[in-house]
Amino acid sequence: MENLLWLIPALPFAGALLLVLFGSRLSRPLVAAIGVGSVGLSALLTLLLGLQFLSERPAFYHQQVWQWFEVAGFNPSVAFHLDALAMVFIFVITFVGSLIHLYATAYMADDADFSRFFACMNLFVGSMLVLVLADNLLLLYLGWEGVGLCSYLLIGFWYKNPANGYAARKAFLITRVGDTALAIGLFLLFQLFGTLHIQSIASEAMQVWDKGAPMAVLVAFLLLGGAVGKSGQLPLQTWLPDAMAGPTPVSALIHAATMVTAGVYLIARMHVIFALAPAAQLAVSVIGAATLLLAGFSALTQYDLKRVLAYSTISQIGYMFLALGVGAWSAGIFHFMIHAFFKALLFLCAGAIILALHHEQDMRKMGGLREKMPVVFWTFLIGAASLAAVPLVTAGFYSKDQILWLQLAGENGNIGLYLAGLLGALITSIYTFRMVFMTFFGTGKTHLEHPPGKVITVPLIILAILSVVGGFIELPHNFGHLTLFSDLLAPVLPAVAINESMAASEWLFQLLAAVVSLSGIFVAYLFYIAKPALLTSIERSGAAMALHRFWHAGWGFDKLYDTLLVRPYVYLANLNKRDVIDAFYSFLTDLAEALHIMLAQTQNGVLRNYIMGVVVGAVAILTLSLLL
């Protein structure tokens, strides 16, 4: 079965190729069958391979497809490495991805570029699968850039609107900043180890570098730069909210199964180097803590339903960074998986609402949808409850509680990171149920036109079930101590050391996390259902309005970058319209052209000119010989 590993990324690529070559000539049902079927078959193959992996429990499966090239001893292969970490990622990418593809057949049914959409989506899934299955960093980087290209194509899918094109360019350029750091890191690794094979680097790094070695710290920071750009973390987070310009299935795919999770994967995959660079690892947790708070406050002030979810993704990825930064590798990956379930669910629910309300995305123009769209309401409520980590009954509670607990009990945790995570949980709970109350409760403000069909609601129901039961595969010590997920990852990711003196008080911090989550829901209920006038009076104060505008604008990062980078660059570009550097090369080409025209006159086909040339030449030679 492991011999079929190559088919998992190959099937989406084959689907993309078919749609690019023949999509415009195929019927829509056939395009949908190719688009959904290729990713669905990949998911089925992943499930079968996963069952074999769980029964045999090998360290990893390895398959070399072909030798890519060989230059001066550098001989990377197109080869795939499947261990428990890659297994979790390909399960999420293919399974959640196939549900999003199925949903998209209804969401994009009336779009003129139906086949182009599915070609790009398949290419996106295939690139992400290459990224997580690559056995060497060069192949990983190929998938990394493929994901970046596909995000550009899909965010700007409706390219006739200039704003969408701007959002696509913004995402492409900002992530290039991180990609450049990653590329430099890969050059350094090759120079130091003579290979980009991931497992070889991991084993040699532990022998070559001591903990805190300057080169290990430098490489780790460069890798972190790549992760920060792709995962939308501080200070490169500004592209992600604008990426909502793409169709909603694209948003779901970017936020749940691909793209933004690439940074989390990179840090987890290269955890050996981060463990050897404590300063870089601390930076991971600090960036995560700062990002989750910043994005959470911004989510509180957004009115666009998709932008709330976008800031929520930035915040939740911050939790994953927080976990990875303290060495709680398994907890970070567990939250990644649970987040993929409930975030895909929330985005797909948002898409169903937006489609039903004539592409209206402003929550102030919604309301009263609870009874008109019961399936969407209940599934959205389940996803929201999981995002807000409602205690005991949601998967989000178990994944987030584990991260919070390890900020205190883990060997690298501290009280500051814990408090940041706890405050973030309160904010998450408030903005999540603000979204629920504004969208589904109160009086309806927009007429409902297109109630969702089964192709849309079936993926919602499946994801809602996973958003509940997914958490019960990893339970804390005092809740049955079930550790199926961390046991699976144990051969790949080291377990975090626990301060045993705190173990007895774990229940107290679980209770505190539960109280915080429920308090956030109560605050949202108070302001948006029970006493909305109270919120209005607060918003009228000058300071509150200024703070609201600041958070709504994403803490002014766009304005800051515009002032410091974009405007000076545009100013210099305008000064250099004629391009001073190119002027020299233009002179050389003009000179060469002039000489060509002059010499061409000596070959004009007129015999008398040739004879005259011979005579003049002979006279010149004779004259020179007499003079010299």
Side-chain angles (χ1 to χ4, degrees):
M1 192 72 189
E2 63 268 25
N3 293 331
L4 300 179
L5 178 58
W6 65 277
L7 274 175
I8 293 176
L11 284 168
F13 281 136
L17 185 63
L18 281 175
L19 293 175
V20 167
L21 294 177
F22 308 110
S24 59
R25 284 171 274 174
L26 300 177
S27 65
R28 286 180 178 247
L30 191 53
V31 168
I34 294 172
V36 180
S38 58
V39 180
L41 283 174
S42 188
L44 179 62
L45 199 56
T46 299
L47 286 176
L48 295 175
L49 197 58
L51 290 174
Q52 178 179 316
F53 189 90
L54 291 175
S55 62
E56 294 180 356
R57 289 298 178 111
F60 57 85
Y61 292 138
H62 185 270
Q63 184 179 35
Q64 178 169 331
V65 183
W66 73 79
Q67 186 73 43
W68 192 351
F69 61 84
E70 183 169 359
V71 177
F74 180 46
N75 50 3
S77 302
V78 176
F80 300 122
H81 177 92
L82 180 69
D83 56 13
L85 178 61
M87 178 61 74
V88 173
F89 272 82
I90 65 169
F91 168 72
V92 170
I93 295 165
T94 57
F95 188 70
V96 176
S98 60
L99 290 175
I100 293 170
H101 273 66
L102 176 63
Y103 172 97
T105 58
Y107 190 89
M108 301 295 290
D110 298 327
D111 197 280
D113 288 324
F114 194 67
S115 63
R116 179 167 66 89
F117 176 79
F118 278 101
C120 293
M121 290 281 278
N122 279 20
L123 194 62
F124 207 167
V125 171
S127 299
M128 191 67 191
L129 288 168
V130 167
L131 192 159
V132 300
L133 283 171
D135 88 328
N136 64 80
L137 289 169
L138 187 64
L139 187 59
L140 181 150
Y141 193 72
L142 182 69
W144 187 275
E145 291 300 337
V147 166
L149 171 66
C150 294
S151 69
Y152 170 77
L153 295 174
L154 286 166
I155 292 168
F157 182 76
W158 289 319
Y159 58 88
K160 292 180 181 177
N161 184 342
N164 298 344
Y166 174 79
R169 291 195 303 277
K170 185 178 179 182
F172 192 76
L173 290 173
I174 291 179
T175 53
R176 291 285 78 70
V177 177
D179 294 358
T180 305
L182 175 60
I184 296 171
L186 300 194
F187 280 121
L188 269 180
L189 282 171
F190 179 72
Q191 186 187 30
L192 294 166
F193 296 102
T195 181
L196 288 179
H197 186 256
I198 295 172
Q199 305 306 318
S200 301
I201 290 173
S203 60
E204 288 185 36
M206 289 188 288
Q207 299 170 6
V208 174
W209 287 332
D210 295 324
K211 197 168 186 176
M215 196 54 72
V217 174
L218 176 60
V219 170
F221 268 111
L222 288 168
L223 297 180
L224 176 59
V228 161
K230 222 56 158 186
S231 292
Q233 298 293 285
L234 274 173
L236 301 178
Q237 81 286 3
T238 56
W239 66 271
L240 199 50
D242 290 348
M244 296 301 99
T248 301
V250 174
S251 306
L253 197 61
I254 288 177
H255 289 247
T258 62
M259 186 77 171
V260 299
T261 59
V264 176
Y265 174 79
L266 179 68
I267 295 174
R269 177 56 76 194
M270 304 304 291
H271 68 274
V272 171
I273 291 179
F274 281 91
L276 291 168
Q281 195 172 355
L282 176 63
V284 174
S285 55
V286 171
I287 287 172
T291 306
L292 74 89
L293 289 175
L294 178 143
F297 281 116
S298 286
L300 277 174
T301 59
Q302 304 299 317
Y303 296 110
D304 185 313
L305 182 58
K306 286 177 66 178
R307 285 184 76 86
V308 178
L309 293 174
Y311 276 110
S312 164
T313 297
I314 298 173
S315 179
Q316 296 305 304
I317 298 286
Y319 274 104
M320 296 172 210
F321 271 56
L322 190 63
L324 299 177
V326 298
W329 311 105
S330 175
I333 302 305
F334 186 48
H335 193 57
F336 149 75
M337 186 182 75
I338 300 301
H339 173 261
F341 296 150
F342 66 68
K343 189 50 61 69
L345 170 61
L346 291 170
F347 264 115
L348 297 188
C349 286
I353 295 165
I354 291 166
L355 201 62
L357 301 182
H358 301 282
H359 294 276
E360 180 58 67
Q361 297 186 192
D362 192 331
M363 293 189 296
R364 292 169 294 187
K365 297 177 182 176
M366 297 179 183
L369 296 176
R370 182 163 43 111
E371 295 175 353
K372 295 175 183 175
M373 304 177 72
V375 175
V376 175
F377 167 66
W378 284 108
T379 52
F380 191 94
L381 186 64
I382 291 170
S386 197
L387 172 58
V390 171
L392 304 180
V393 294
T394 64
F397 170 73
Y398 295 105
S399 62
K400 193 177 291 183
D401 175 69
Q402 194 177 40
I403 293 174
L404 291 176
W405 166 241
L406 292 174
Q407 300 308 309
L408 277 179
E411 58 180 337
N412 296 323
N414 64 60
I415 186 68
L417 295 175
Y418 171 76
L419 291 176
L422 198 63
L423 178 58
L426 177 66
I427 298 166
T428 302
S429 195
I430 296 172
Y431 73 66
T432 301
F433 274 83
R434 167 183 179 262
M435 197 166 47
V436 171
F437 294 139
M438 289 184 73
T439 305
F440 292 99
F441 288 76
T443 307
K445 302 175 185 69
T446 303
H447 181 62
L448 187 73
E449 277 291 329
H450 304 287
K454 288 185 179 176
V455 177
I456 284 183
T457 54
V458 167
L460 304 185
I461 294 169
I462 295 172
L463 288 168
I465 293 170
L466 289 173
S467 298
V468 175
V469 303
F472 291 91
I473 61 172
E474 184 75 13
L475 297 175
H477 297 77
N478 50 348
F479 277 57
H481 195 204
L482 190 63
T483 56
L484 296 177
F485 191 82
S486 52
D487 289 346
L488 174 68
L489 290 177
V492 186
L493 300 174
V496 59
I498 300 287
N499 183 354
E500 294 298 333
S501 64
M502 297 193 66
S505 58
E506 184 175 359
W507 67 271
L508 184 63
F509 293 99
Q510 287 166 342
L511 181 63
L512 184 58
V515 169
V516 164
S517 171
L518 296 174
S519 300
I521 297 172
F522 175 74
V523 170
Y525 172 78
L526 187 68
F527 284 148
Y528 292 93
I529 298 292
K531 294 183 178 180
L534 184 61
L535 179 65
T536 306
S537 65
I538 294 173
E539 287 179 338
R540 281 176 184 164
S541 72
M545 288 179 69
L547 196 58
H548 185 280
R549 284 195 297 272
F550 185 56
W551 288 347
H552 185 77
W555 296 64
F557 273 90
D558 276 326
K559 190 174 182 180
L560 179 68
Y561 293 159
D562 193 48
T563 305
L564 293 180
L565 300 172
V566 179
R567 289 183 184 176
Y569 182 81
V570 172
Y571 175 75
L572 292 173
N574 283 328
L575 282 181
N576 192 31
K577 270 182 182 174
R578 293 184 180 276
D579 204 329
V580 174
I581 295 172
D582 273 4
F584 173 70
Y585 299 101
S586 298
F587 167 74
L588 290 181
T589 56
D590 291 345
L591 180 63
E593 188 178 359
L595 290 173
H596 163 74
I597 293 171
M598 188 175 71
L599 291 174
Q601 296 302 317
T602 65
Q603 297 181 13
N604 55 10
V606 180
L607 183 60
R608 63 174 177 273
N609 290 350
Y610 294 166
I611 296 172
M612 181 60 72
V614 171
V615 171
V616 170
V619 170
I621 292 170
L622 287 172
T623 304
L624 286 173
S625 64
L626 289 173
L627 292 174
L628 300 175

